Amino acid sequence: MLESVQFDIASLKNMMQVTRKREFPYLSGPKIFNYWLYVMETYTGVKWKSRELITIAPDTHIMKATVKLGLCSPDVLDGTAEDRNLVAEAWEKALRGSGLAPIDVHTPLWLWSRAGFPPLSGDVSKL
């Protein structure tokens, strides 16, 4: 399947979320789809075309961290599909031109939120 779309995320997304959506009931949603792309890349070594199209998976922790960092207003914590899209778009905009795909910040943000947002201290330039 991945070879049939030449490892292109845009083509794969169209297939799994539009043209053949019914065949992928669990992976066709935007949150799971994007995280699945990240997992496939991390654990199987897949090299995606258009990697920047892997958006952040806007779950509760990501939404809380996004608000905490001031990228979105607390209104997004309602968690509607539109709210999740706003969070994903905020990260796309914030990271544009950085060389990072939005999914790259998912794990640190999730862990930070899960830990209750402990303050970041020390010289982070040494990390």
Side-chain angles (χ1 to χ4, degrees):
M1 175 177 69
L2 302 180
E3 289 174 352
S4 76
V5 295
Q6 300 174 334
F7 300 94
D8 180 59
I9 290 174
S11 297
L12 185 62
K13 183 176 185 174
N14 183 60
M15 177 200 310
M16 294 179 79
Q17 294 183 334
V18 181
T19 60
R20 295 175 57 189
K21 181 178 176 124
R22 294 177 61 109
E23 296 174 52
F24 303 98
Y26 299 106
L27 290 175
S28 62
K31 184 170 86 170
I32 298 300
F33 175 75
N34 285 287
Y35 195 67
W36 175 74
L37 294 173
Y38 173 75
V39 168
M40 290 290 291
E41 176 184 68
T42 302
Y43 296 103
T44 70
V46 168
K47 301 291 183 209
W48 298 114
K49 290 182 186 173
S50 308
R51 185 178 184 279
E52 70 279 0
L53 296 177
I54 306 176
T55 66
I56 199 162
D59 63 14
T60 300
H61 290 292
I62 299 306
M63 295 171 82
K64 287 178 181 178
T66 303
V67 170
K68 182 86 169 167
L69 292 170
L71 292 176
C72 287
S73 75
D75 296 340
V76 300
L77 297 176
D78 291 338
T80 66
E82 183 179 333
D83 295 330
R84 293 178 191 283
N85 285 336
L86 287 172
V87 168
E89 289 170 6
W91 282 106
E92 287 174 28
K93 182 179 177 184
L95 295 172
R96 192 171 293 132
S98 71
L100 294 172
I103 196 66
D104 294 334
V105 299
H106 182 274
T107 300
L109 292 173
W110 190 91
L111 291 171
W112 187 46
S113 173
R114 181 88 167 122
F117 300 109
L120 304 174
S121 60
D123 186 358
V124 294
S125 67
K126 294 178 184 175
L127 295 177

